[in-house]
Amino acid sequence: MEGSVIVDKTLEKLAEFWEIAQGWLLSPAAWSQFALLVVAYLVALYAAKKLRPLLEKLLTPALDAESYVARARRFVAMFLPLLLPLLAYAFTGIGESATRAMFGSGAVIAFGKRVFLFLAVRILVREIIKDPVMAVLGKYILVPVAGLYALGILDEVMAYLDGTVVPLGNLSFSVLFAIRFVLVAGAIFWLGRWSNDQSSQFIKAQDDMRPAMRELIAKTLEIGIFGIAFLLVMNIMGISLTSLAVLTGVIGVGLGFGLQKIASNFISGVILLLEGQATVGDYVELDGGEAGTIIKMTARATILETYDGRWIVVPNEDFITTRVVNYSDSGSANRYEAPFSVSYDTDINLVPDIIEKAVAKHPGVLNDPFPPDCELRGFGESGVDFAVEFWVEGIDDGRNKFTSDVLFLIWNALRDEGITIPYPQRVVELKTPLPTA
């Protein structure tokens, strides 16, 4: 029964459209409006062809420009594809005023104006919107709404959707309310994410702040922005926050029992950011054997990147409850040593000066806190054992191979001075003579 009603209404609407089309075809005023539509489009096409190169030149900054003005110019330049349909819409609006003044009607040209607006919305969704969520909302909601508006049946469809109620347990809502909620929530949370990205970039560019403080402020702003977005959505849609009291209580109970680990990790992450004992860029090693460079700190966990490119997700609680060795790859110097041996035939008094001068030539070796120091470590079975201690910025692995470079310098320096590096030698005593041939 309901299907037949929809079919009957559709047929009635098609018949109404056919009557309107017949009236337009037989009306001189309608033909004059069609002519004005064509003129408005041609004028818009000519104006867009002349204006677009000038606007592109005006709105295109230098490639390396990153100021706020440059970003704003790039943002406005994104909407240049809308120039033609918007100009056609504006010129058609002028033509509509003229036809209404002359003929007392402007239905045809008003329809053309709505079509130009539909084309602008279609270009906006297909060519300008790049965000995946907003693209889906535009494709399946915004474009159909613009199409219904162009056909002049938007109000009737909205009334039908508003009257279609969807029951959900003890709650019920109309289809129109659901569509509005999705649109409003999507737009507000997209704006919140964009604002969060911009504020995070601005905060992380403040080099005078500690990395941990930058992360903490960025996380606080993120929570605040999306909290405000949530409250805005609830307020705009007319949803009382008191109705969420039960849900809030359930979440509190869940945090107290089932989600206590998540709460513990979140609080541990806040403590880490406040204390700054481990932050992004530091090379750390935990009691459990996990080791790597901190590349990201989230509300729940810290992500380490190992030298072989693997990511290790470590709960924030482990940084608080276990022993953590921080090699401070983000700025503190570290000491390493490279062992070597020389032959017993060498004048060992000359070795320290030769090696220290050779190692000091390495661009990564520091003189502060201490310059390279060559020490005698002992008298081995095959040669005299030395080791040179040196300080560098960073970790001796991954991108840096300090010990390897230093060993090359030692080898070349000893070779240039004619000093040999011994290899193990053994004396074999035979108890019985070798058999003769």
Side-chain angles (χ1 to χ4, degrees):
M1 184 67 180
E2 184 178 355
S4 62
V5 172
I6 295 175
V7 171
D8 293 339
K9 288 185 177 180
T10 303
L11 293 175
E12 291 177 4
K13 184 58 66 176
L14 290 175
E16 183 180 346
F17 283 155
W18 175 244
E19 291 179 1
I20 293 173
Q22 285 181 327
W24 286 357
L25 291 174
L26 300 176
S27 171
W31 281 104
S32 63
Q33 293 178 49
F34 277 122
L36 283 175
L37 276 176
V38 174
V39 171
Y41 176 77
L42 293 176
V43 173
L45 186 63
Y46 177 79
K49 185 177 180 181
K50 295 295 183 181
L51 286 175
R52 182 153 184 171
L54 298 176
L55 292 175
E56 287 179 348
K57 184 178 180 180
L58 179 65
L59 296 174
T60 304
L63 293 176
D64 56 347
E66 291 296 336
S67 63
Y68 291 107
V69 176
R71 293 179 182 178
R73 290 166 64 186
R74 292 192 185 99
F75 179 76
V76 175
M78 291 170 50
F79 297 92
L80 284 179
L82 297 177
L83 183 61
L84 175 59
L86 291 182
L87 285 175
Y89 179 85
F91 293 148
T92 306
I94 298 173
E96 181 185 7
S97 301
T99 55
R100 290 190 185 278
M102 290 187 296
F103 301 104
S105 65
V108 175
I109 201 166
F111 172 74
K113 188 173 69 170
R114 295 196 299 269
V115 170
F116 287 135
L117 184 61
F118 168 75
L119 294 176
V121 171
R122 189 167 178 266
I123 293 174
L124 175 69
V125 173
R126 295 185 62 180
E127 300 183 18
I128 298 175
I129 296 178
K130 302 300 181 182
D131 183 81
V133 176
M134 296 302 295
V136 170
L137 292 178
K139 182 177 180 180
Y140 293 104
I141 296 181
L142 189 59
V143 171
V145 168
L148 294 174
Y149 175 73
L151 295 174
I153 59 174
L154 180 61
D155 293 337
E156 297 179 10
V157 173
M158 290 181 64
Y160 175 76
L161 294 177
D162 193 27
T164 305
V165 178
V166 178
L168 186 64
N170 296 328
L171 301 176
S172 61
F173 54 88
S174 66
V175 176
L176 181 62
F177 175 84
I179 295 175
R180 283 177 175 173
F181 181 83
V182 171
L183 276 176
V184 172
I188 290 180
F189 278 101
W190 174 83
L191 182 61
R193 189 175 68 176
W194 180 82
S195 303
N196 178 63
D197 292 341
Q198 298 300 315
S199 60
S200 297
Q201 291 179 7
F202 175 77
I203 292 170
K204 291 179 180 179
Q206 307 304 311
D207 296 331
D208 54 337
M209 298 174 61
R210 289 190 303 112
M213 186 57 65
R214 292 200 297 265
E215 290 290 331
L216 179 61
I217 294 176
K219 293 298 180 185
T220 303
L221 278 176
E222 182 179 1
I223 295 173
I225 288 173
F226 284 105
I228 293 173
F230 174 76
L231 294 177
L232 280 175
V233 171
M234 295 296 106
N235 188 31
I236 291 174
M237 300 309 299
I239 300 175
S240 176
L241 295 178
T242 56
S243 61
L244 302 177
V246 176
L247 178 62
T248 305
V250 172
I251 294 176
V253 173
L255 287 175
F257 292 96
L259 303 179
Q260 56 182 343
K261 276 290 184 182
I262 296 178
S264 175
N265 286 320
F266 177 78
I267 296 173
S268 299
V270 173
I271 294 173
L272 281 174
L273 293 173
L274 286 174
E275 292 183 348
Q277 295 180 356
T279 186
V280 175
D282 287 353
Y283 184 86
V284 296
E285 182 179 353
L286 280 71
D287 256 356
E290 302 90 351
T293 303
I294 299 177
I295 61 172
K296 188 176 182 181
M297 300 181 73
T298 65
R300 185 190 66 85
T302 299
I303 300 176
L304 309 181
E305 184 178 19
T306 62
Y307 290 128
D308 53 4
R310 298 180 182 180
W311 282 16
I312 304 176
V313 181
V314 181
N316 290 328
E317 186 181 11
D318 291 355
F319 282 85
I320 303 298
T321 59
T322 61
R323 186 176 65 92
V324 179
V325 179
N326 190 345
Y327 292 91
S328 299
D329 193 20
S330 61
S332 298
N334 295 290
R335 191 193 73 174
Y336 295 95
E337 66 175 41
F340 64 97
S341 300
V342 298
S343 172
Y344 276 105
D345 297 334
T346 306
D347 184 357
I348 61 174
N349 297 295
L350 303 176
V351 172
D353 185 60
I354 295 172
I355 298 303
E356 289 170 3
K357 289 180 179 180
V359 175
K361 295 178 182 178
H362 191 284
V365 174
L366 306 175
N367 287 324
D368 185 26
F370 299 102
D373 181 27
C374 183
E375 299 177 350
L376 176 65
R377 291 297 174 84
F379 301 100
E381 295 181 358
S382 303
V384 183
D385 298 330
F386 284 88
V388 59
E389 298 175 347
F390 57 94
W391 289 77
V392 293
E393 288 278 4
I395 306 299
D396 185 27
D397 206 339
R399 298 182 301 273
N400 307 311
K401 298 293 183 182
F402 297 117
T403 302
S404 175
D405 294 342
V406 167
L407 289 174
F408 271 109
L409 291 172
I410 292 172
W411 174 275
N412 293 329
L414 294 178
R415 183 193 60 189
D416 293 342
E417 296 294 332
I419 300 174
T420 60
I421 296 179
Y423 51 86
Q425 299 180 13
R426 295 291 183 268
V427 178
V428 179
E429 182 180 353
L430 300 176
K431 295 297 185 180
T432 59
L434 293 174
T436 58

